[in-house]
Structure formats: C-alpha cells, structure tokens
Amino acid sequence: MKLEGKIAVVIGGTQGIGESVAKRLAADGANVGVVASASLPKAQAVADAIKASGGNAFAERADVTDADALKVMVARIVKEYGGVDIMVNCAGVWLEKPALDTSEQDFDWCVDTCLKGAFFMASPASPLISCSGLNKKDLLSMASSTERTGGRTSHFHRMRAAAFLAVSSVSAATRQTTCPA
C-alpha cells in the first residue's frame, strides 16, 4: 500500500469530495483523521465506515474558521499519532439564496469557511511539511465547482470560486514560506 504508515487529515471529510478523499487515502493505506466542523458523530460515522472496509481512521472535530481550534487539533494529532504527513482541506459551504437576499453575514460565512479556513488549516500544518526527498509531505486544498438551478451559476458559487482562487494563492504562499527555493 502506497501510504502505509502515513497520517492523513481530511478537513471537511464527512461528505462529498472530502469523504471520498478520506476513503481513498485509507484504501491506499493511510491512517486517516476525518475532521468535521460541527458534528463529531458525522466524522465518526465516516471513520467507522473506513474501519469496516479494512482501513484505519479516527474522528476529530474542529471549526475550520477558528485558528486556535485547528492548532489544538493538529497538536493533539501529532501527540497521539506522531505527526501529520498529508493535510487535505475540503471544507466548503453552499447557500441557495438569491443574490439580493445575501447578507453580509452570509458572505462572511462563505469567505471565513472557504478562504480563512484554508489559511488557518495551513498555518499549523506548515511546520510539519518536509521540503525534499521521498518523505515529502503534502498540504492540499480542493473544492468542487458546482452549478445549480437549471445550469445557471448562482452568485454564491461565484463567491466560493473567488474564495477558492484565493486558496490557490494561500497554498502557494504557504509552500514558498515553508520551502523556499
């Protein structure tokens, strides 16, 4: 198995892309931390499904918009499992609402989860990333690109797309800071 002995953490691993990534990493041999932002039972259900199929997994809960909560979670995983080899951010939100009904609070929720969450996830993981050789560790952020309502792209999708474009910059900046040329 390609990832045997590796510790992978999947933020947003309770459904959608994140759940699929968590299951694939486990199938490839990693011990996977499935992280939920609100529902530890949802994370535990995915971890249990992974274990039932022969993989190794554990459940965690951390609010992706809370930098301190993510630092505590990463420290707990490092203490319990000896490190983090792969950190995957799949946290994202969706709001089905007309553009003129979108409040500042709705907008902030999207940006806090999709952009700030990626940055806060990368910050505590950065010191754990190795920069060279076969032991290179990975920090990944990903998101879906979805169109809703009969093929029309909603304004909320556009806000998410903007946030995830910024995530690319956050990931690149993190890698440059951690692994200068």
Side-chain angles (χ1 to χ4, degrees):
M1 294 198 174
K2 296 184 256 185
L3 299 177
E4 195 163 331
K6 303 294 184 190
I7 304 299
V9 177
V10 182
I11 296 180
T14 60
Q15 62 188 17
I17 293 171
E19 181 178 359
S20 295
V21 168
K23 288 178 176 178
R24 179 55 193 241
L25 289 168
D28 285 347
N31 186 2
V32 179
V34 179
V35 182
S37 62
S39 175
L40 186 58
K42 280 180 75 173
Q44 190 62 58
V46 174
D48 289 345
I50 289 170
K51 290 179 199 173
S53 66
N56 295 309
F58 55 95
E60 288 283 339
R61 185 202 169 285
D63 180 355
V64 71
T65 66
D66 182 343
D68 291 334
L70 288 171
K71 286 177 189 171
V72 167
M73 180 197 70
V74 169
R76 186 172 54 243
I77 292 169
V78 168
K79 183 178 179 183
E80 179 76 20
Y81 299 98
V84 175
D85 299 295
I86 301 165
M87 181 75 88
V88 181
N89 175 35
C90 289
V93 294
W94 183 265
L95 179 67
E96 195 69 48
K97 188 184 263 192
L100 296 178
D101 293 340
T102 300
S103 67
E104 182 177 357
Q105 183 179 8
D106 294 335
F107 183 86
D108 289 345
W109 176 58
C110 177
V111 171
D112 287 352
T113 302
C114 299
L115 176 57
K116 287 172 54 178
F119 178 77
F120 292 154
M121 183 272 303
S123 297
S126 294
L128 305 172
I129 297 170
S130 173
C131 298
S132 63
L134 297 174
N135 295 321
K136 185 175 181 180
K137 299 180 182 189
D138 293 306
L139 174 65
L140 307 167
S141 286
M142 61 185 71
S144 64
S145 176
T146 308
E147 290 192 22
R148 303 280 175 137
T149 59
R152 291 174 295 165
T153 305
S154 81
H155 74 287
F156 197 78
H157 169 72
R158 290 183 190 107
M159 288 188 324
R160 284 183 57 208
F164 285 122
L165 242 128
V167 164
S168 298
S169 295
V170 167
S171 295
T174 301
R175 178 58 98 188
Q176 287 173 348
T177 302
T178 307
C179 304

